[in-house]
Amino acid sequence: MLRSLVGSEMCIRDRCYNQMGSGKPRGIRCARKLRVHRRENRWALKAYKKKHLGTALKCNPFGGSSHAKGIVTEKVGIEAKQPNSAIRKSARVQLIKNGKKVTAFVPRDGCLNFVEENDEVLVAGFGRSGHAKGDIPGVRFKIVKVAGVGLWA
């Protein structure tokens, strides 16, 4: 019989068997131990923790929805990031559902003229899952409708 010891594995005729130090219990009655151990250690995974803690929904101004209605509090111009040089037209919007204030981009040329203070607007995400888009720093949302009328109409 050919036997060789490689690390913690014992090899007999090209078949390796784990000995001590494999780290997990093995056997016919170890299912509960494995299941509980996996449940505890899943919290070390970033994606699992983000999904199950619920803080991602609490921090999101929309609260998990795709759109939200809000009231325009003021019109603002935001300077574009380098190397671009422009003033991007935006508006500060207070959401009706939770009172949070967000900055929303007003798309297209001249559409800021249709947006007035105290108007009710529909706000959507910018398409980057909570990240700013392009050269507009800190703006994660865009205005889709003003007083029930789409800006693309």
Side-chain angles (χ1 to χ4, degrees):
M1 234 172 160
L2 295 169
R3 285 189 182 181
S4 64
L5 200 62
V6 180
S8 65
E9 293 182 343
M10 182 177 70
C11 297
I12 302 172
R13 288 193 188 158
D14 299 329
R15 289 188 181 160
C16 295
Y17 301 95
N18 280 336
Q19 287 187 327
M20 293 173 59
S22 65
K24 56 179 90 169
R26 300 169 190 278
I28 200 163
R29 292 186 180 90
C30 67
R32 180 184 288 118
K33 174 102 177 162
L34 289 168
R35 197 176 64 230
V36 169
H37 192 257
R38 170 57 41 222
R39 189 188 315 140
E40 290 170 358
N41 285 315
R42 266 177 138 176
W43 289 98
L45 303 173
K46 188 178 180 182
Y48 181 87
K49 194 176 235 178
K50 191 174 183 181
K51 185 175 181 183
H52 288 82
L53 271 180
T55 51
L57 286 179
K58 292 174 192 170
C59 296
N60 183 4
F62 284 6
S65 59
S66 61
H67 294 72
K69 281 188 177 180
I71 305 294
V72 176
T73 55
E74 63 176 321
K75 297 195 232 181
V76 291
I78 296 175
E79 287 187 25
K81 286 198 259 184
Q82 287 292 337
N84 295 343
S85 175
I87 296 176
R88 305 288 181 215
K89 310 303 185 281
S90 304
R92 290 287 290 168
V93 177
Q94 185 168 11
L95 301 180
I96 292 171
K97 68 190 291 182
N98 52 20
K100 291 183 179 178
K101 290 186 178 178
V102 297
T103 305
F105 175 70
V106 182
R108 297 184 72 189
D109 191 13
C111 279
L112 192 68
N113 298 328
F114 303 129
V115 178
E116 299 295 330
E117 287 190 19
N118 299 318
D119 272 352
E120 187 178 274
V121 294
L122 184 69
V123 183
F126 226 154
R128 288 213 48 220
S129 303
H131 297 285
K133 182 179 172 188
D135 62 359
I136 313 169
V139 179
R140 298 159 44 194
F141 308 101
K142 65 182 174 188
I143 292 177
V144 181
K145 287 184 176 182
V146 179
V149 180
L151 286 176
W152 293 96

